[in-house]
Amino acid sequence: MKQTLFIVGARGAGKTTIGKLLSEALSYKFIDTDESIQTMSEMTIAELVEQYGWEHFRKLESQTLKTVSQSECVISTGGGMVLSLENRQYMQQNGIVIYLQASAAVLGQRLSLNPENSQRPSLTGKSIVEEMEGILVEREPLYQECASFIVDANLATEYIVSCIKSYILDQESKLI
């Protein structure tokens, strides 16, 4: 039985990069919820938040999660997807949740190297590493709570994909 895979983790953890490679390795479709929201709204996330606020964005995020979910699909979620209990339960009940775990220092370093990721509005106005530390304090238990499988996002990309693929194939063999 083919699965729906949800990739969760903080901004900069590598959800999109790993998701695309994993979808290729499994011959699954790849969907990024943030990209889907931006395409549907014809606005960047920063513009959406600025114009309508975080609450509106979080509602769009939850709707998008359900809209894009399908079997044989790797879904890269926004870093805050886990803030909603409904989203956490939905992902657990409808697929396998992969958590890409990384430290605030690593996330901060990656985000500062990739300006595109910085287009996401600051939640706190603090430096990126300080912001990521605060976000992880709040979200780490939520990521852990809904995760079926936790992977160290500091490992080599190819190794992460290989580990997740092995886990998924093992899970699928148990369902046959």
Side-chain angles (χ1 to χ4, degrees):
M1 182 179 141
K2 300 295 183 182
Q3 297 288 319
T4 304
L5 310 179
F6 299 99
I7 302 182
V8 301
R11 251 186 325 157
K15 299 182 298 288
T16 300
T17 301
I18 297 297
K20 286 179 179 174
L21 293 170
L22 184 61
S23 68
E24 289 172 19
L26 294 169
S27 298
Y28 278 22
K29 184 176 179 182
F30 174 76
I31 296 171
D32 182 302
T33 58
D34 282 351
E35 283 180 18
S36 296
I37 290 167
Q38 291 178 104
T39 301
M40 181 189 65
S41 67
E42 298 180 349
M43 299 172 92
T44 66
I45 290 168
E47 290 167 342
L48 267 171
V49 170
E50 187 179 325
Q51 191 162 345
Y52 300 106
W54 278 107
E55 189 177 332
H56 175 77
F57 172 72
R58 294 293 177 215
K59 283 181 186 170
L60 275 178
E61 195 173 49
S62 296
Q63 291 167 356
T64 301
L65 177 67
K66 293 177 181 95
T67 303
V68 301
S69 293
Q70 55 190 279
S71 63
E72 294 189 43
C73 190
V74 176
I75 300 170
S76 170
T77 65
M81 186 69 77
V82 297
L83 293 172
S84 160
L85 173 61
E86 183 183 333
N87 292 346
R88 293 192 308 276
Q89 290 173 339
Y90 180 85
M91 290 186 290
Q92 288 174 303
Q93 292 164 4
N94 292 282
I96 295 175
V97 183
I98 310 297
Y99 170 32
L100 292 182
Q101 187 177 46
S103 69
V106 167
L107 296 169
Q109 181 183 20
R110 288 182 182 173
L111 291 170
S112 64
L113 292 174
N114 187 348
E116 189 180 310
N117 283 330
S118 302
Q119 290 177 5
R120 208 53 193 268
S122 169
L123 296 171
T124 60
K126 297 178 180 174
S127 78
I128 193 71
V129 173
E130 288 175 320
E131 183 171 306
M132 295 318 294
E133 286 170 351
I135 287 170
L136 287 178
V137 165
E138 176 189 17
R139 297 180 186 174
E140 180 70 21
L142 305 176
Y143 291 134
Q144 299 251 0
E145 173 194 317
C146 68
S148 311
F149 188 62
I150 299 172
V151 183
D152 181 349
N154 299 320
L155 298 170
T157 304
E158 298 77 19
Y159 183 72
I160 292 171
V161 172
S162 174
C163 287
I164 297 170
K165 181 179 178 183
S166 295
Y167 175 80
I168 298 307
L169 295 176
D170 183 54
Q171 294 304 303
E172 289 178 352
S173 70
K174 291 176 183 175
L175 297 171
I176 296 172

